[in-house]
Amino acid sequence: MTAKSRVFSVCLLLVAAMPALATTFIMPTDDEMVSRSKRIVIGTAQSSFVRERDGNVETVYVFAIEQTLKGSGTDGDTIEIVSPGGDLGRRGVIVQSAAHFAMGEKALLFLNESHGNWTPTDLTLGKFRFVTSNKGDRLLTRDMDDVTAWERNGAPHYEKVRREEAFLHFIHDRVAGREVKKDEQNYLVDPSTVVLVPVDRTRRVKADTTYSAGSYTSNVTCPPPFCVPQVGPYPSRWPDFDTAGGTVTFHKKNDQNISGAGDGGVSTIQSGLAAWTNDCGSKVNIVYGGTTTTASADFDSV
């Protein structure tokens, strides 16, 4: 095999390893987000509408501004935030990693101008939701369900949760031009140490119920010699969600860890499970049950 063909093979492997339906980012620092954004505001989504402009479908969200942290604008005014994608009824467009909002949702927004519109900086990276943990801690968190992120040194990025008051104080300092040393940026929280209320996605995405289950699930076939004659293919689904409570518990093998992750990958697992729980108002309810010494044997939730 030549050197060129080896490089080509490596590229194919890297492409094959990329997760489907995700946007890849080189993760900007919070300092860069502040400096690159023309406006930073806190507001609440009041209404929205979908439009087609220049052949593109986009959703316009009307926000009531509660507080302006950077840029022009008066508290109490409204601002239109434009995100790519949306549902026009007979057709729609989904743009991975675009920022979208539920009505009544309060958010911290990093914004820039694009074609005369205000848009979140770096798509969903420019949106932070105000949330409260089960212990009452007030936090800010990003929607990272369809994001793959890397640090500039090539290491995987592990998104942290931010303490609301301390993070807003950091933004005020940087907008005012005050330097904030790294050891003073004490607002980051390991997501594995907090329990957040699941995100209500039912008001963000409208599922078209005219699609059959087989059009959006993986098909499973039982081939010979296990099934004679061959059975399927049939659309697959998890068998337990319709039982009492509909809860499936997943465990992590105690001796299998993600390289470079301080918690061995627990926060990554929890984020994945949370992304599926109640998605589009479904009965799916997946919880993390801790580590286990039992090795995985096919469909055993390990």
Side-chain angles (χ1 to χ4, degrees):
M1 181 182 286
T2 66
K4 179 181 285 188
S5 61
R6 280 198 298 270
V7 171
F8 181 67
S9 297
V10 171
C11 290
L12 284 178
L13 287 173
L14 289 174
V15 171
M18 293 299 293
L21 301 178
T23 302
T24 302
F25 292 91
I26 300 298
M27 203 67 181
T29 65
D30 291 339
D31 206 2
E32 289 171 333
M33 291 292 291
V34 173
S35 63
R36 288 166 46 195
S37 300
K38 191 171 182 178
R39 294 182 73 175
I40 304 174
V41 301
I42 296 172
T44 301
Q46 301 292 303
S47 61
S48 68
F49 60 92
V50 181
R51 69 188 182 194
E52 183 173 1
R53 194 175 66 160
D54 299 328
N56 298 315
V57 177
E58 55 189 22
T59 303
V60 181
Y61 297 92
V62 180
F63 266 77
I65 299 177
E66 177 183 315
Q67 186 178 1
T68 299
L69 306 180
K70 181 181 180 181
S72 60
T74 304
D75 297 351
D77 286 348
T78 59
I79 183 176
E80 290 188 349
I81 309 298
V82 178
S83 279
D87 181 5
L88 285 171
R90 293 184 62 84
R91 71 184 186 92
V93 175
I94 295 176
V95 177
Q96 298 301 321
S97 302
H100 291 288
F101 307 88
M103 293 305 97
E105 182 177 18
K106 182 179 177 181
L108 167 67
L109 299 170
F110 292 75
L111 303 171
N112 272 308
E113 278 189 293
S114 176
H115 304 290
N117 298 310
W118 289 107
T119 62
T121 303
D122 291 338
L123 300 172
T124 192
L125 300 188
K127 171 197 172 183
F128 288 85
R129 291 186 294 110
F130 287 81
V131 297
T132 303
S133 75
N134 64 332
K135 295 182 180 179
D137 299 318
R138 295 170 61 183
L139 306 166
L140 286 156
T141 183
R142 278 180 169 131
D143 295 331
M144 300 288 285
D145 296 351
D146 52 4
V147 170
T148 299
W150 302 85
E151 305 294 352
R152 286 191 173 85
N153 62 5
H157 170 78
Y158 297 104
E159 179 67 13
K160 299 291 184 68
V161 179
R162 289 153 177 79
R163 294 186 180 91
E164 177 187 323
E165 184 177 359
F167 186 40
L168 295 180
H169 186 72
F170 165 80
I171 295 172
H172 280 293
D173 282 345
R174 294 305 297 128
V175 170
R178 290 187 288 271
E179 181 182 359
V180 181
K181 297 179 179 178
K182 203 143 186 102
D183 58 358
E184 296 175 338
Q185 298 179 21
N186 58 350
Y187 53 78
L188 296 176
V189 178
D190 189 322
S192 66
T193 64
V194 296
V195 178
L196 305 178
V197 177
V199 180
D200 179 9
R201 293 178 173 82
T202 58
R203 291 176 293 175
R204 298 188 190 185
V205 179
K206 289 201 302 182
D208 189 337
T209 55
T210 61
Y211 291 107
S212 66
S215 68
Y216 56 81
T217 58
S218 299
N219 287 332
V220 176
T221 300
C222 180
F226 304 102
C227 297
V228 179
Q230 177 172 302
V231 176
Y234 296 118
S236 61
R237 66 187 298 275
W238 201 269
D240 302 328
F241 290 128
D242 290 328
T243 59
T247 299
V248 173
T249 301
F250 273 82
H251 301 271
K252 175 186 173 295
K253 185 71 165 62
N254 66 328
D255 60 354
Q256 293 180 341
N257 300 309
I258 295 178
S259 177
D263 62 358
V266 171
S267 59
T268 301
I269 293 172
Q270 289 179 320
S271 296
L273 302 183
W276 282 101
T277 296
N278 294 327
D279 191 52
C280 292
S282 72
K283 294 182 180 180
V284 177
N285 184 28
I286 315 176
V287 298
Y288 176 65
T291 59
T292 179
T293 58
T294 304
S296 177
D298 296 323
F299 306 104
D300 57 1
S301 301
V302 176

